[in-house]
Amino acid sequence: MLVYRPSGPRAWRLLLMILFVAAWKAGSGQVHYSVPEEAKHGTFVGRIAQDLGLELAELVPRLFRVASKGQGDLLEVNLQNGILFVNSRIDREELCGRSAECSIHLEVIVDRPLQVFHVEVEVKDINDNPPVFSVSVQKLSIPESRLLDSRFPLEGASDADVGENAVLTYRLSPNEFFILDIINKKDKGKFPVLVLGKMLDREENPQLQLLLTATDGGKPEYTGSVTLLILVLDANDNAPMCDRSVYEVKMYENSANQTLVIWLNASDADEGINKEMIYSFSALVPSSIRWKFLMNEKTGEIRVNDAIDFEESTTYEIHVDVTDKGNPPMVGHCTVVVEILDENDNSPEVVITSLALPVQEDAQVGTVIALIRVSDHDSGANGQVACSLTPHVPFKLVSTFKNYYSLVVDSALDRESVSDYTLVVTARDGGSPSLWATASVSVEVADVNDNAPAFAQPEYTVFVRENNPPGCHIFTVSARDADARENARVSYSLVERRVGERALSSYVSVHAESGKVYALQPLDHEELELLQFQVSARDAGVPPLGSNVTLQVFVLDENDNAPALLPLPGAGGGAGAVSELVWRSVGAGHVVAKVRAVDADSGYNAWLSYELQPAAGGARSPFRVALYTGEISTTRSLDEADSPRQRLLVLVKDHGEPALTATATVLLSLVESGQAPKASSRALAGAAGAEAALVDVNVYLIVAICAVSSLLVLTLLLYTALRCSAPPTGGACAPGKPTLVCSSAVGSWSYSQQRRQRVCSGEGAPKTDLMAFSPSVPPGSSSGDSGEQRDIFRNDCTLLTIQAQGVALYLVEIVLSWVGLIGQERLVQKKRLHHAERYC
């Protein structure tokens, strides 16, 4: 049958004639025919002379002749009519074996002028071969203990035909024990497997004989058969089992001898000698495969033993028996299908023709930095080359022409992150397996000034002791610039500002290169506790970039200020001396005076303590001074033996290192009760004011107590009762001796700092900012209006004492702070103190 024949409209034939003329002038051409195999002698194949565009009359004069490539004289040409016909029997299986395509190539040669034509005649397959089994009887030894659904591979039949003529189907003769299963093996045909459908019994059926028939798919169909002789064995219960029934292995041709093809893995559930296995080729394996591969009977390794050639065979099917050493032995079966892969012989070549380096880190995306050319001497898929670049780099390859690429910038560059790249260009061909070649390109990134100097933290805290020497180094700032060379050279300077009335540069300076900060003059904590300023860092780039850092310099206190004495309001004497009148009738623990002092320092350096210096001559004084409040109180009741004028020296000392001191002189005049001065109208007015303030306080107290819950009241009362349950010590809570509670905020560390107020109880040694004064009127004394006024004031003081000993003062401060009246209560207390001090 003619595959390519000029036909169609006249224009198409004219075009074909032009093409044939061009082919004659070129001296070559090609025509395709097809003919079925086993065609009889003389079977028409095609009009070769006409199809090649030759005139019949020219065949003999131009010495028309046909030459075949190794196919002998299977085809011949009649020079009289130019017809190609079958000359002798054509057997496709003998000519091409199992190849899917089979053709006879002819060369047609004519002289004067010389022309050569190529003619390809395809030989079509016909169903002229029946399925054939390699043996007439296949023997299977199957123990009676094999479980149901056990599978036993059988040797399939082979058919010399191809295509549908070689598609085989199998059927098994009817029986009650076995059924036939077919496995398709990836275009390798069908694989028959016996499946045990019913348990075998050797005593009942020691031997079974079945018939396996194979039928091809031709028209008409052919069949072939083989006898299956099944010997039922007794004993050994478990046969070795491969982890897979079919192993598929791919390996390249030209693999060296002893190359491992596969390592089979079989297992046997038995124990002892029944578990020991021997690997061997099945009897179904032909000798040609046994020469190609070696089997290690102990390990199951299959290795290459001879040259493996893809052109000789593309697949090898190896049937393996795994036999245990039981008695009788049991056999497991598996199949290894080895697929041979064609080899790619030539690697691609990569040539880098030009470079534009280094590249600026601010280069635009798409900037070309190199040209690359690739090539491969192979052809087809093995010669098709694809280029790729090392992944995760800011560059890419852009194809500009066949096998030509440009290396361009793909994303933003940052020299500070990566200063240079080693790019690997990989050229890979389309072979299987593919081969590749690589070429390295070193790309350096040039720096631009795109990073400002950066400090490790936005601000620093520096502690410097006051009275430092001028020019001392107090701190070093350091900024890092991620750029390079001049762009990374950093200089430092102060951000000038005013500190009070003076410029910052009069206090501190910074070295431009090292970043060291110096104090230019001694710092005074009492004048300047915190010096906050900024230091600027700038690089030398163009344009320069900079950043600032904040320094907080805390000036730490030194004990450079001695305590300073304060005058007592309403008392005689100056800042260093205090004069007071004291009734001889007062009892022990009565506060008669208070020394007030402050310290310009802070912290422990301003924490003051008071000590009473021993009297001259070693006499024991009836007075004492509170360690931290400066209150002077009696240690016992005064008697006639005590000197009427007492001169006390109080040493005020701070807690600094070394401690600084000041001395206060307190002059006390001891008077009898009959010598009491008359209360002035001003004192009476003060007492009345105190009484009015007290009434206001009581009103607020009642309102506040009504506003809180009973639980809070009970809790506060319980707390007050516990505080006043201590044994009397002559302090504020001592029964029987009414005292006037007057507030004061002088003489403590917290007062010196002017930051918070501390209030201490009267338990133990006096450590409170509440001063207790007894009225300067002896008990039971009453004389006229003055005595009446003193009784009224004594009653007020008694009421205040009861409130101080109980819950009132604590409850007032807590509750009034809630209702917003704490400020007014503080004023009431201050007024009461003012009037009481004036009166007392």
Side-chain angles (χ1 to χ4, degrees):
M1 183 182 73
L2 179 61
V3 176
Y4 175 81
R5 178 179 297 171
S7 61
R10 182 175 301 175
W12 177 245
R13 288 200 297 270
L14 179 59
L15 178 61
L16 288 180
M17 290 294 293
I18 296 173
L19 292 176
F20 274 122
V21 170
W24 290 340
K25 292 182 179 180
S28 64
Q30 187 171 357
V31 178
H32 295 270
Y33 300 105
S34 64
V35 62
E37 68 171 329
E38 303 296 341
K40 296 180 181 180
H41 174 75
T43 300
F44 173 84
V45 177
R47 301 182 182 275
I48 188 170
Q50 180 180 345
D51 294 337
L52 293 177
L54 301 176
E55 297 294 335
L56 296 180
E58 296 177 346
L59 298 183
V60 175
R62 296 188 61 182
L63 301 179
F64 181 96
R65 57 191 182 276
V66 176
S68 62
K69 297 180 180 179
Q71 279 78 32
D73 56 349
L74 299 178
L75 301 172
E76 190 60 66
V77 177
N78 188 335
L79 298 181
Q80 301 301 321
N81 53 19
I83 293 176
L84 180 66
F85 62 93
V86 176
N87 186 43
S88 61
R89 175 178 174 270
I90 301 176
D91 188 351
R92 186 186 183 282
E93 289 72 29
E94 179 181 349
L95 185 63
C96 301
R98 298 298 302 275
S99 176
E101 297 180 359
C102 184
S103 299
I104 300 175
H105 299 277
L106 303 178
E107 287 185 355
V108 178
I109 304 172
V110 294
D111 296 329
R112 302 172 189 171
L114 177 63
Q115 288 182 296
V116 179
F117 302 92
H118 297 277
V119 178
E120 183 175 337
V121 180
E122 181 183 3
V123 180
K124 297 289 188 179
D125 182 59
I126 65 172
N127 193 23
D128 59 341
N129 291 283
V132 176
F133 290 89
S134 61
V135 294
S136 59
V137 177
Q138 289 190 30
K139 292 183 179 181
L140 297 175
S141 297
I142 302 176
E144 60 178 336
S145 58
R146 290 301 293 268
L147 300 177
L148 293 178
D149 296 326
S150 296
R151 304 171 70 85
F152 306 95
L154 302 175
E155 178 194 6
S158 61
D159 195 322
D161 297 321
V162 295
E164 290 294 326
N165 297 329
V167 177
L168 302 181
T169 58
Y170 296 90
R171 66 177 181 274
L172 185 66
S173 59
N175 68 95
E176 60 179 327
F177 295 99
F178 294 94
I179 58 176
L180 187 65
D181 189 17
I182 305 299
I183 298 177
N184 292 320
K185 298 191 300 182
K186 285 188 179 180
D187 301 328
K188 300 296 188 298
K190 296 181 178 180
F191 185 77
V193 176
L194 277 183
V195 181
L196 184 61
K198 179 180 178 182
M199 294 294 293
L200 297 175
D201 186 357
R202 188 192 64 83
E203 289 73 25
E204 182 177 346
N205 296 295
Q207 181 175 307
L208 298 174
Q209 187 169 333
L210 306 176
L211 184 65
L212 177 64
T213 303
T215 305
D216 63 20
K219 299 294 183 181
E221 63 184 21
Y222 288 91
T223 62
S225 61
V226 64
T227 300
L228 303 180
L229 183 59
I230 300 174
L231 301 177
V232 182
L233 305 179
D234 199 15
N236 197 7
D237 297 326
N238 294 283
M241 294 184 63
C242 298
D243 54 359
R244 284 186 286 176
S245 60
V246 178
Y247 297 88
E248 295 182 355
V249 181
K250 294 182 179 181
M251 64 179 299
Y252 292 106
E253 63 174 329
N254 304 323
S255 296
N257 285 350
Q258 301 304 314
T259 299
L260 180 64
V261 177
I262 192 172
W263 195 333
L264 299 178
N265 182 24
S267 60
D268 195 312
D270 293 328
E271 294 182 354
I273 194 170
N274 291 333
K275 193 173 184 178
E276 297 180 10
M277 295 171 289
I278 297 176
Y279 297 87
S280 62
F281 288 120
S282 171
L284 305 177
V285 178
S287 59
S288 60
I289 295 181
R290 293 175 185 265
W291 282 107
K292 296 287 184 183
F293 302 96
L294 283 179
M295 168 74 75
N296 188 319
E297 65 176 13
K298 293 183 179 180
T299 62
E301 294 179 359
I302 300 178
R303 295 183 179 272
V304 175
N305 188 49
D306 198 3
I308 303 297
D309 189 1
F310 174 82
E311 287 70 31
E312 179 182 341
S313 178
T314 59
T315 58
Y316 293 95
E317 189 172 294
I318 305 173
H319 299 280
V320 178
D321 292 341
V322 186
T323 308
D324 62 21
K325 295 183 179 180
N327 188 18
M330 300 190 70
V331 182
H333 307 277
C334 61
T335 301
V336 180
V337 178
V338 181
E339 181 180 353
I340 308 301
L341 303 177
D342 194 16
E343 204 169 44
N344 189 17
D345 300 39
N346 294 284
S347 299
E349 295 180 358
V350 182
V351 178
I352 301 174
T353 57
S354 63
L355 294 174
L357 297 175
V359 58
Q360 295 287 333
E361 65 175 321
D362 59 350
Q364 298 295 323
V365 174
T367 302
V368 179
I369 61 174
L371 297 178
I372 300 171
R373 178 175 60 88
V374 296
S375 60
D376 194 310
H377 296 296
D378 292 326
S379 60
N382 293 334
Q384 296 176 358
V385 181
C387 260
S388 62
L389 195 62
T390 307
H392 312 301
V393 293
F395 304 96
K396 68 177 180 179
L397 290 176
V398 177
S399 178
T400 57
F401 190 66
K402 181 180 180 181
N403 293 337
Y404 283 88
Y405 295 87
S406 293
L407 180 62
V408 301
V409 177
D410 187 40
S411 61
L413 302 177
D414 186 6
R415 190 207 64 84
E416 288 69 41
S417 299
V418 182
S419 60
D420 59 82
Y421 295 87
T422 299
L423 308 181
V424 179
V425 179
T426 302
R428 187 181 299 271
D429 62 25
S432 180
S434 62
L435 299 179
W436 66 89
T438 59
S440 296
V441 182
S442 182
V443 178
E444 179 183 357
V445 181
D447 184 51
V448 297
N449 191 26
D450 57 347
N451 290 277
F455 292 93
Q457 44 189 90
E459 67 177 28
Y460 293 91
T461 300
V462 182
F463 297 93
V464 179
R465 292 191 176 275
E466 65 176 332
N467 304 322
N468 56 283
C472 74
H473 171 237
I474 62 174
F475 192 69
T476 300
V477 295
S478 178
R480 179 182 177 275
D481 196 310
D483 293 322
R485 293 182 291 276
E486 290 298 315
N487 296 332
R489 186 159 58 85
V490 180
S491 59
Y492 303 92
S493 62
L494 284 177
V495 178
E496 188 62 72
R497 70 177 186 87
R498 305 292 296 179
V499 179
E501 299 297 327
R502 302 170 61 181
L504 173 65
S505 56
S506 65
Y507 287 95
V508 292
S509 67
V510 60
H511 193 272
E513 296 181 359
S514 66
K516 291 184 177 181
V517 180
Y518 298 94
L520 300 180
Q521 63 181 11
L523 300 177
D524 187 1
H525 172 80
E526 287 70 37
E527 176 188 346
L528 183 66
E529 291 188 15
L530 172 63
L531 179 61
Q532 181 170 312
F533 58 93
Q534 287 186 325
V535 175
S536 174
R538 286 189 173 272
D539 59 27
V542 178
L545 301 177
S547 62
N548 295 341
V549 65
T550 300
L551 267 67
Q552 291 184 337
V553 179
F554 286 90
V555 182
L556 301 181
D557 184 53
E558 291 282 344
N559 193 24
D560 56 348
N561 291 279
L565 298 172
L566 299 177
L568 181 67
V578 178
S579 295
E580 293 288 346
L581 296 178
V582 180
W583 302 112
R584 285 185 179 273
S585 60
V586 297
H590 183 77
V591 176
V592 298
K594 182 172 184 177
V595 177
R596 295 175 173 83
V598 295
D599 196 313
D601 294 323
S602 61
Y604 275 90
N605 297 328
W607 186 12
L608 303 181
S609 61
Y610 302 84
E611 298 179 7
L612 188 63
Q613 297 295 97
R620 185 175 180 182
S621 176
F623 300 97
R624 66 179 179 185
V625 63
L627 180 62
Y628 296 114
T629 63
E631 294 177 344
I632 300 174
S633 60
T634 58
T635 60
R636 58 179 173 81
S637 298
L638 303 177
D639 52 29
E640 296 297 332
D642 294 320
S643 174
R645 292 186 62 83
Q646 299 282 336
R647 185 173 184 272
L648 306 180
L649 294 180
V650 178
L651 181 67
V652 184
K653 181 172 62 176
D654 60 26
H655 284 70
E657 291 292 341
L660 301 179
T661 62
T663 303
T665 302
V666 180
L667 300 176
L668 300 178
S669 299
L670 305 184
V671 297
E672 300 295 338
S673 58
Q675 300 174 352
K678 299 293 183 176
S680 64
S681 59
R682 189 175 180 181
L684 292 176
E691 182 178 3
L694 179 62
V695 172
D696 292 339
V697 171
N698 290 336
V699 172
Y700 289 133
L701 179 63
I702 293 172
V703 174
I705 292 176
C706 293
V708 298
S709 65
S710 59
L711 180 61
L712 178 60
V713 173
L714 291 176
T715 303
L716 295 175
L717 290 176
L718 179 61
Y719 171 74
T720 305
L722 291 176
R723 291 194 57 191
C724 292
S725 62
T729 59
C733 293
K737 294 184 178 180
T739 57
L740 175 61
V741 180
C742 308
S743 69
S744 174
V746 188
S748 66
W749 175 29
S750 59
Y751 171 78
S752 301
Q753 297 305 305
Q754 298 292 322
R755 288 175 184 158
R756 63 177 67 86
Q757 183 176 11
R758 298 174 56 194
V759 179
C760 305
S761 68
E763 298 172 0
K767 299 179 182 179
T768 178
D769 286 346
L770 298 177
M771 290 173 42
F773 292 93
S774 295
S776 301
V777 180
S781 175
S782 61
S783 60
D785 294 338
S786 298
E788 193 173 345
Q789 292 173 359
R790 292 191 188 96
D791 290 339
I792 294 173
F793 190 75
R794 185 182 301 110
N795 291 336
D796 293 340
C797 291
T798 303
L799 177 60
L800 290 175
T801 302
I802 295 173
Q803 292 173 344
Q805 292 176 341
V807 69
L809 289 180
Y810 298 103
L811 188 60
V812 166
E813 284 196 4
I814 295 174
V815 175
L816 291 182
S817 65
W818 290 350
V819 299
L821 298 175
I822 187 65
Q824 185 174 359
E825 169 59 19
R826 291 296 184 193
L827 293 176
V828 171
Q829 290 187 10
K830 290 182 178 180
K831 290 179 180 179
R832 187 184 307 128
L833 171 64
H834 176 70
H835 292 297
E837 286 180 341
R838 292 180 58 190
Y839 184 79
C840 295

